[in-house]
Amino acid sequence: MDDVKERFSFIPDRIAGLGELSYNLWWSWHPAARMLFKMLDRQIWKECRHNPVKMLRELPHEVLETAAGDPEYLRHYDAVLARFHKEMNAKGGWFSENIADPECLPIAYFSAEYGLHHSLPFYAGGLGFLAGDHIKECSDLGVPLVAVGFMYPEGYLRQKIRSDGWQENVDEVLDRDAAPISRVLNEKGEQLVVKVPFIEPPIHVAVWKVQVGRIPLYLMDTDIEINDPWNRGISAHLYIGDIEQRLRQEIVLGIGGSEVLDTLGIKHSVLHLNEGHPAFAILERVRERVEEGISYNEAVQHVHSTTVFTTHTPVPAGHDVFPFHLMDKYFGHYYPILGLNRDEFLRMGIQSGDPDAGFNMTAFALRMSAYHNGVSKRHGEVSRRMWQSLWPDTKEEDIPIDSVTNGIHVPTWIEPKMQLLFNKYSGPDWLEDHDNPAIWELIDDIPDKELWQTHYWLKMKLINFIHDRARQRWVENRISPTNIVAGGTLLDPSALTIGFARRFATYKRADLIFHNMERLKKLLNNRWRPLQIIFAGKAHPADDPGKRILQRIFNSAHDPALGGRIAFVEDYDEQLAQYMTHGVDVWLNNPIPPLEACGTSGMKASLNSVPHLSILDGWWIEGFNGKNGWAFSGKGNDEEDAEAIYELMEKEIIPLFYKVDDDGIPHGWVKVMKEAIKSTAPLFSARRMVKEYARKFYQNALKSAGA
Ligand SMILES: *Cc1c(COP(=O)(O)O)cnc(C)c1O
């Protein structure tokens, strides 16, 4: 990466590797590598929000000079860099031993969003983190993969809550030069710009790269001068509301993304589509084969046998459907290239039960892929029912939609202090073998006191973080003291603390616990055994019902009758998700079933010893074992579901939390914490998940590809 060397020419030679390291997100899931930056200057590291590229640019040069002459720093530097280079150049690994020769042509992974780190805000929620965790794990396991997506330079909506509780969004434009992304250069040394084929007037994309361990992620940016204004905005935000612009966005993602790989000379063997948004990539694979001279049917057969498609949502509005007149407008000239007439083409995307609805991206992707799955067992069932009409002669249980339950990238989501504790009692190799349930039995060896103290420390860290943010808002924006209270200044580290943080989609029912206000008040205001709840999350800018739910919670947060025991923390992002899933006592989840396809934040909490209290939906149907948290089976009726939560709170959760033994430790509670770690960490890891994708789908698809 010459671009990087040039940008960091001021770094002393002895520690020049910091430049390369800062551009590889490998640092983000290796605490020793993060420490290498933090050691340079803790305050600047914090102010740069843990973004090493920004930090290296802003650091006084003397600091780097000093570090380059400091034996202690150099010792640490050499150790981290040696490990980094060893892992980047490693050839073997799980994939080569179990699946296929890693020298085969890579798997191309397409996703509309990626959640990797808070310095790269290219995500809206769970789908993005799933994609990010997937590619990090592919790097760890040595899966040959190349990823494609968008950069969304204005994608980050900084959330500010007005004094009346209404969410406002302040657009924040990404400073491309201060983010850990680099320009992909052409042979002339200029940034590579690719023209999206088959669309007139033309659309161009500038190509950027994020290195995620061993996996390259190519990002497209349409905000460049050569594009007209209408086209510049295509990749400005995630999921544009206007249907035509959305179609253009998905054409750029699928067809433009394929062209980017082609231009870079990257051939791929297998295509994995994360959700239907990038499904037009399938068309390009078919077209290439037809142009090589084989028949359309043969081309489809080949593409079909080498395509994996993961569907992520049972919410009907989550599946894009484009009207036929727009399909004609943008694909009219594409039909004959494939040797198809209009009807034959459009038929690929119709829903059998409702053929006039339009071109459905999920139906299209399901028809054109041999391997497809939902993201939990329950979501597999729901998807088989939902898409049964595509296989009219097949019984529901035989519909060929499989399931691979989501998992989280353990090195990313484990809190470093918790990791040290696990190292101490499970041996330093636990991380290497973390999808093996047997390893986790050793969690029982952790003395209750040590786990409890570590957890308490993380709770303090969360509350301090929230106080810090509130102080900043107070000083910078001079908002009213009531709103500062709503932001969490009265939080009390000794009170039982529930966390609820996720996108404020209405089906997630963030305000369910307010259903019976009197009953909730009693729990919050109990003098001896108080409860407090920390909320965070963003409503989609166009989602007024979601914003009303948020407003209701925010207004409760500054209602003195609730005693300052409700907090709403603004601007939920990856960093706040880390603090919250590590630091609360219980993680709450109460969507309307079966609309939570899987859910992953509860996994992040459980891994860090925070038990899950959830309705039986998504992953919790598989995850709950009676001892590792709490569950209730609801039907989506607010009255009954809220009742179930109060019951569990009053009868089980609150008494258990406050049952402290003579040594000051709630041993009964700690037992649940340990069980949460043990039972969920191996099974709901991205390691188990990627291995399952590889064994169920990638291996066979690679064989079909002749790899
Ligand atoms: C994990 C995560 C999500 C997904 O959480 P769900 O429980 O699946 O809704 C969303 N946003 C952020 C910032 C996350 O870290």
Side-chain angles (χ1 to χ4, degrees):
M1 284 203 287
D2 292 335
D3 186 30
V4 170
K5 273 218 185 90
E6 211 169 287
R7 280 213 232 173
F8 284 140
S9 53
F10 56 84
I11 300 181
D13 281 347
R14 179 66 179 84
I15 52 172
L18 287 180
E20 188 192 350
L21 187 63
S22 70
Y23 276 101
N24 189 326
L25 286 184
W26 186 87
W27 57 257
S28 72
W29 72 91
H30 291 86
R34 291 202 299 268
M35 193 49 88
L36 208 50
F37 296 107
K38 191 171 172 180
M39 278 164 82
L40 291 169
D41 188 316
R42 280 174 179 265
Q43 190 54 29
I44 296 184
W45 176 243
K46 190 174 159 195
E47 281 164 14
C48 292
R49 304 197 64 226
H50 310 159
N51 169 355
V53 171
K54 189 165 194 288
M55 178 182 194
L56 289 174
R57 283 156 47 101
E58 295 187 1
L59 214 53
H61 290 183
E62 308 85 76
V63 175
L64 291 168
E65 297 292 346
T66 310
D70 173 1
E72 180 60 26
Y73 188 80
L74 293 176
R75 204 170 51 83
H76 197 70
Y77 170 88
D78 289 337
V80 170
L81 271 267
R83 169 133 189 242
F84 173 56
H85 288 131
K86 181 167 164 240
E87 284 190 24
M88 288 313 101
N89 299 323
K91 285 283 174 271
W94 178 85
F95 184 86
S96 71
E97 284 154 27
N98 294 277
I99 301 297
D101 180 356
E103 299 296 317
C104 66
L105 293 178
I107 296 157
Y109 185 87
F110 278 61
S111 176
E113 49 173 304
Y114 290 90
L116 291 159
H117 184 259
H118 49 276
S119 59
L120 295 173
F122 311 143
Y123 57 84
L127 176 70
F129 283 96
L130 195 270
D133 283 5
H134 189 97
I135 62 176
K136 286 173 183 172
E137 192 59 51
C138 285
S139 171
D140 291 347
L141 291 175
V143 180
L145 186 131
V146 49
V148 178
F150 275 129
M151 190 172 74
Y152 306 116
E154 295 166 38
Y156 193 69
L157 301 170
R158 185 163 285 277
Q159 180 192 49
K160 289 214 164 144
I161 310 296
R162 276 188 341 213
S163 54
D164 63 353
W166 195 249
Q167 166 180 310
E168 282 188 335
N169 293 312
V170 187
D171 272 0
E172 199 168 83
V173 178
L174 179 75
D175 179 355
R176 295 167 174 81
D177 290 314
I181 51 178
S182 52
R183 291 181 169 78
V184 174
L185 305 180
N186 62 19
E187 60 286 350
K188 284 189 247 154
E190 296 154 353
Q191 182 165 26
L192 179 66
V193 172
V194 171
K195 180 174 172 296
V196 180
F198 308 107
I199 188 161
E200 289 297 336
I203 302 174
H204 295 83
V205 296
V207 186
W208 295 80
K209 182 168 121 173
V210 183
Q211 192 64 38
V212 185
R214 290 187 266 182
I215 309 293
L217 162 59
Y218 293 99
L219 299 172
M220 295 179 281
D221 180 6
T222 59
D223 184 21
I224 47 176
E225 253 170 41
I226 182 172
N227 284 332
D228 62 39
W230 166 249
N231 287 335
R232 286 183 76 150
I234 287 179
S235 73
H237 298 278
L238 288 96
Y239 310 126
I240 304 172
D242 175 79
I243 189 78
E244 182 166 358
Q245 194 71 335
R246 173 79 79 97
L247 174 59
R248 293 154 66 82
Q249 194 176 41
E250 297 191 5
I251 289 171
V252 173
L253 180 58
I255 295 183
S258 303
E259 184 71 6
V260 166
L261 291 182
D262 222 36
T263 310
L264 293 169
I266 301 174
K267 292 197 181 315
H268 61 275
S269 48
V270 167
L271 174 68
H272 186 172
L273 299 167
N274 191 43
E275 191 55 296
H277 314 111
F280 292 134
I282 293 172
L283 288 177
E284 280 295 275
R285 302 185 86 213
V286 176
R287 182 189 61 78
E288 279 164 20
R289 285 164 181 78
V290 168
E291 290 194 341
E292 281 165 13
I294 65 172
S295 73
Y296 170 78
N297 284 336
E298 274 177 291
V300 167
Q301 207 170 25
H302 186 255
V303 168
H304 184 264
S305 66
T306 55
T307 300
V308 181
F309 167 57
T310 303
T311 177
H312 281 268
T313 178
V315 181
H319 300 267
D320 290 313
V321 182
F322 296 112
F324 294 135
H325 72 90
L326 284 181
M327 293 301 290
D328 287 335
K329 179 170 169 186
Y330 288 96
F331 288 95
H333 54 290
Y334 205 103
Y335 310 154
I337 300 176
L338 299 179
L340 298 180
N341 63 33
R342 177 179 188 265
D343 277 6
E344 287 165 331
F345 184 96
L346 295 179
R347 216 171 277 144
M348 294 190 286
I350 59 171
Q351 295 131 287
S352 316
D354 190 7
D356 298 326
F359 192 92
N360 183 306
M361 295 295 274
T362 306
F364 169 61
L366 284 170
R367 282 198 182 91
M368 301 297 272
S369 55
Y371 307 99
H372 19 245
N373 66 291
V375 290
S376 67
K377 290 201 172 88
R378 164 62 62 87
H379 181 231
E381 286 163 23
V382 171
S383 301
R384 288 191 281 279
R385 196 170 325 131
M386 198 166 171
W387 300 103
Q388 191 176 13
S389 65
L390 295 187
W391 289 272
D393 303 325
T394 310
K395 281 198 302 231
E396 188 180 304
E397 60 271 27
D398 298 329
I399 298 288
I401 301 180
D402 207 329
S403 70
V404 176
T405 303
N406 287 343
I408 53 165
H409 185 243
V410 168
T412 295
W413 294 103
I414 181 84
E415 201 284 331
K417 216 172 172 86
M418 198 54 85
Q419 182 170 349
L420 287 178
L421 187 65
F422 293 0
N423 287 352
K424 189 167 160 194
Y425 292 96
S426 304
D429 292 336
W430 71 268
L431 196 55
E432 280 307 306
D433 203 15
H434 71 254
D435 59 333
N436 174 4
I439 293 270
W440 294 91
E441 287 304 319
L442 295 170
I443 288 295
D444 283 336
D445 291 355
I446 302 177
D448 286 3
K449 189 170 173 199
E450 265 185 80
L451 182 58
W452 182 246
Q453 282 175 343
T454 304
H455 171 69
Y456 194 78
W457 189 85
L458 294 177
K459 193 167 168 184
M460 289 301 299
K461 197 171 141 193
L462 166 67
I463 292 178
N464 287 338
F465 177 80
I466 292 173
H467 286 173
D468 228 38
R469 274 208 177 175
R471 190 187 326 278
Q472 228 172 350
R473 267 290 249 156
W474 167 241
V475 173
E476 283 168 16
N477 304 92
R478 307 191 168 262
I479 59 174
S480 75
T482 13
N483 283 4
I484 294 293
V485 167
T489 42
L490 293 181
L491 289 172
D492 164 8
S494 60
L496 170 58
T497 305
I498 296 181
F500 184 104
R502 44 182 57 85
R503 287 184 303 116
F504 267 49
T506 43
Y507 77 85
K508 299 203 182 224
R509 297 191 294 184
D511 59 346
L512 184 68
I513 202 162
F514 295 92
H515 190 78
N516 183 337
M517 211 47 165
E518 288 316 307
R519 204 148 161 200
L520 177 64
K521 260 187 215 163
K522 274 202 194 112
L523 300 179
L524 299 174
N525 294 328
N526 186 306
R527 272 173 64 195
W528 296 278
R529 304 190 308 184
L531 181 72
Q532 63 188 2
I533 315 177
I534 306 177
F535 288 93
K538 293 176 187 164
H540 186 280
D543 179 13
D544 281 353
K547 289 186 200 172
R548 276 194 287 276
I549 292 178
L550 195 157
Q551 185 173 36
R552 178 173 183 205
I553 294 173
F554 189 82
N555 289 342
S556 309
H558 61 54
D559 177 357
L562 301 187
R565 299 216 182 264
I566 303 284
F568 185 92
V569 187
E570 285 173 325
D571 208 33
Y572 186 51
D573 69 351
E574 184 264 346
Q575 191 181 19
L576 181 55
Q578 294 274 9
Y579 280 98
M580 284 188 67
T581 54
H582 302 156
V584 299
D585 297 310
V586 176
W587 195 255
L588 174 66
N589 186 36
N590 47 232
I592 299 174
L595 296 184
E596 181 95 307
C598 180
T600 51
S601 55
M603 302 173 186
K604 299 168 190 169
S606 294
L607 170 67
N608 288 285
S609 82
V610 174
H612 198 209
L613 158 59
S614 172
I615 199 161
L616 283 168
D617 194 19
W619 78 281
W620 199 229
I621 296 172
E622 294 157 61
F624 179 60
N625 69 5
K627 303 179 285 188
N628 60 352
W630 299 272
F632 58 100
S633 60
K635 296 193 176 56
N637 171 320
D638 288 357
E639 176 78 35
E640 288 171 25
D641 293 351
E643 172 69 26
I645 296 176
Y646 300 133
E647 278 278 312
L648 281 170
M649 284 287 174
E650 291 161 359
K651 301 223 166 85
E652 297 186 31
I653 298 173
I654 295 172
L656 190 66
F657 181 85
Y658 284 106
K659 190 176 173 298
V660 176
D661 293 85
D662 290 343
D663 57 358
I665 312 289
H667 291 284
W669 186 266
V670 175
K671 198 162 175 216
V672 181
M673 291 168 66
K674 286 184 177 173
E675 190 62 35
I677 304 170
K678 267 165 54 175
S679 62
T680 63
L683 291 181
F684 301 97
S685 63
R687 177 148 302 176
R688 187 274 309 147
M689 171 183 78
V690 169
K691 285 184 177 177
E692 205 175 326
Y693 274 108
R695 288 197 173 111
K696 277 185 170 166
F697 306 148
Y698 293 169
Q699 190 165 34
N700 291 331
L702 283 165
K703 273 201 198 111
S704 301

